Amino acid sequence: AQKITQTQPGMFVQEKEAVTLDCTYDTSDQSYGLFWYKQPSSGEMIFLIYQGSYDEQNATEGRYSLNFQKARKSANLVISASQLGDSAMYFCATSNSGGSNYKLTFGKGTLLTVNP
Amino acid sequence: NAGVTQTPKFQVLKTGQSMTLQCAQDMNHEYMSWYRQDPGMGLRLIHYSVGAGITDQGEVPNGYNVSRSTTEDFPLRLLSAAPSQTSVYFCASSYYGVGNEQFFGPGTRLTVL
């Protein structure tokens, strides 16, 4: 069984600063995928970024980057230049279906608050 | 495209009642999934489907039933509602393949009294 651990229930960051949200995972599979989602207070789930277990380079999408350390089984999300609109719940998730995303295991999330 | 649509947005049931949560997508996605989200928890997978006619159980399938007769629709049935099924339910869909974005519906907030 897979497991995702997000150890930070809540994080605070000043606007325009960078912030790292932690995620560690536990899987026995060789091929897997790591995903990050954002859930604003309005409730919708927004896909942010994906990292495959065989990808050698860290994934980046605009201001989001994923710090993937395979040996440590960690997949931290880095948000650069935080904006007020980044205030939301952030979920890390993994898939054991070779990186396909229909069978995700989610962590409990980190609530990020961006202060002006 | 409407994306992933879910109906109803809110529902209140009494213990023992049954109902169906509707989910539809117009993107011709092969994969569809149902998750539930409880306070302080991430999403947990209930059932999923990799194509029409193919469904399988996720982490928390008890008390729920699904079918996938078409690519577009993936309804979730509560057989006999219990207070423990009070939750927010999300339907999601995506294309076949690795690392593709999973599109989520807006959710259905269900309360079982």
Side-chain angles (χ1 to χ4, degrees), chain A residues 39 50 99-104 107, chain B residues 33 37 42 94 97-100 102:
Chain A
Q39 186 176 44
Y50 165 82
S100 296
N101 58 13
Y102 59 84
K103 235 166 67 165
L104 297 181
Chain B
S33 308
Q37 183 177 26
S94 61
V98 172
N100 292 323
Q102 192 171 43

